[in-house]
Amino acid sequence: ADARERDAENTQIAQVKEQMRRMKFEDSEKENADNHDDDNEDDDDSDDDDEFDHLLDDDENDALEAMRQARIAELKLQQSQRAQNISLGHGSLRTISQDEFLPECTGSSRYVCVHFFHDDFERCKIMDFHLKIIARDHMEAKFLRIDAAKSPFFVHKLRVKTLPALFVFDNGKEIGQLTGFEGLAKDSKKPDEWQTGRLKEWISSTGAIQYERPSEEMEEELKRMGIVMRGAVYSDRERSGMDDEY
C-alpha cells in the first residue's frame, strides 16, 4: 500500500512538472512570435528571460512543496485513522461469543460485519477465507465471526436458517444480509469458486466498505503495463455446492 501511495505521489509530481514545462514552452513561443521582426535584441532581453524563468522555477517549487505538504497531512490522517481502527478491533476477522455480540455491534465502530458459522460446514470455511482478506484490506469496517451453535438467541432473533450467513450492521442496525453464496459465483456449475472481489462488491453495496471494481478499460490498461488483476479463489471441487441448512 505504501508503494502504491509513493507511486501515486510521484505521478502527481511528474504531472505538475510537465504542466510547468508546457507553460514555459508556450510562453517562449509567444515571446519568439512577438519578436519575430525584431533583429536588434540586446542582452537585457536575455536577462529578462532568465528572470522570468527563475520566477517560473519558483512557482514550480512552490506548487510541488504545497503538494508534498498536502500529501504528508493526508498520510498522517490515514495513519491516525488506521491506529484508531486497530484499537477498535478492525483489521482482522475475530471470533466472538454470544455475550460479546451486542457490545461489538453497537460500540464505537459504525460498520460491523458478522459471519454466523458452524465448524462442521465447509462453506463457512470458504466464507472465512474471503473475510480474512477483506478485513485486512478494509480497515473502515469491523469483521467478526460467531458460532451459530453457541448463539441460539441471535440465531433465533435474526432468523438464521442457512449457513454461512453474513450480516452487516450500521450503528447496530441491520442493513444487509447475505445467505450462503447467493449471487457471488459467476459459474453456476462452480458455486463455491468465486473471487474475493465479488464479496467486496456486495459488502460495498451496503456502504460498509469503499470498493469499486476496476473497469474493463482499467483492466486492459493494467494488462498493457504487465499488471494482471487476480482475486483469491477458495476451491473445493468435491463439494456439491449446496448451502448447509441449519
Side-chain angles (χ1 to χ4, degrees), residues 3-238:
R4 289 196 297 268
E5 291 173 353
R6 287 195 297 270
D7 290 341
E9 181 178 0
N10 291 334
T11 299
Q12 291 178 332
I13 292 174
Q15 291 174 345
V16 170
K17 288 183 176 180
E18 178 62 23
Q19 291 176 354
M20 298 302 297
R21 281 195 291 268
R22 290 179 179 177
M23 290 173 60
K24 290 181 180 180
F25 178 77
E26 291 172 356
D27 290 333
S28 177
E29 287 293 309
K30 182 178 179 181
E31 184 72 17
N32 291 336
D34 292 340
N35 297 316
H36 181 69
D37 296 328
D38 187 359
D39 296 329
N40 298 316
E41 293 181 330
D42 54 24
D43 292 340
D44 291 339
D45 292 334
S46 178
D47 292 340
D48 291 342
D49 289 342
D50 291 341
E51 182 179 0
F52 182 67
D53 289 342
H54 175 69
L55 291 175
L56 279 177
D57 290 338
D58 288 343
D59 290 341
E60 180 178 342
N61 292 333
D62 290 344
L64 293 176
E65 179 61 21
M67 179 182 294
R68 190 178 74 86
Q69 292 298 330
R71 184 57 177 164
I72 291 175
E74 181 182 357
L75 290 174
K76 287 183 178 180
L77 178 60
Q78 290 177 355
Q79 291 175 349
S80 175
Q81 292 175 337
R82 178 181 176 83
Q84 181 181 9
N85 287 334
I86 290 176
S87 70
L88 295 175
H90 297 210
S92 63
L93 179 63
R94 297 186 294 111
T95 303
I96 61 172
S97 66
Q98 179 170 257
D99 292 339
E100 295 173 313
F101 184 88
L102 285 179
E104 289 281 4
C105 293
T106 60
S108 301
S109 300
R110 176 177 178 179
Y111 293 109
V112 182
C113 302
V114 183
H115 170 212
F116 281 79
F117 74 94
H118 194 289
D119 283 332
D120 295 336
F121 294 172
E122 185 66 22
R123 276 198 156 190
C124 292
K125 298 177 183 178
I126 297 176
M127 180 64 76
D128 283 341
F129 170 81
H130 293 285
L131 288 176
K132 287 178 181 178
I133 297 174
I134 299 174
R136 183 184 66 237
D137 292 345
H138 294 273
M139 300 288 292
E140 63 266 36
K142 182 190 294 184
F143 290 85
L144 307 170
R145 63 196 296 268
I146 186 169
D147 192 337
K150 299 178 181 179
S151 311
F153 176 80
F154 291 107
V155 166
H156 175 73
K157 183 72 173 179
L158 296 173
R159 300 177 181 178
V160 177
K161 302 295 183 182
T162 304
L163 299 179
L166 180 63
F167 291 85
V168 181
F169 299 93
D170 180 354
N171 287 323
K173 180 181 178 181
E174 180 188 333
I175 58 173
Q177 177 181 353
L178 179 65
T179 301
F181 298 156
E182 183 179 1
L184 297 180
K186 291 185 177 180
D187 189 345
S188 59
K189 296 181 180 180
K190 300 178 181 178
D192 290 355
E193 298 181 23
W194 41 272
Q195 294 184 342
T196 306
R198 300 283 291 176
L199 183 56
K200 285 186 178 183
E201 285 185 274
W202 181 85
I203 298 175
S204 177
S205 70
T206 69
I209 65 173
Q210 300 299 315
Y211 175 77
E212 183 176 353
R213 185 179 184 277
S215 64
E216 293 183 0
E217 292 79 5
M218 177 62 72
E219 290 181 348
E220 288 298 324
E221 180 64 18
L222 291 174
K223 288 180 181 179
R224 188 185 66 80
M225 298 171 61
I227 303 174
V228 179
M229 299 292 292
R230 292 188 177 92
V233 177
Y234 184 107
S235 176
D236 184 352
R237 300 182 183 279
E238 296 181 356

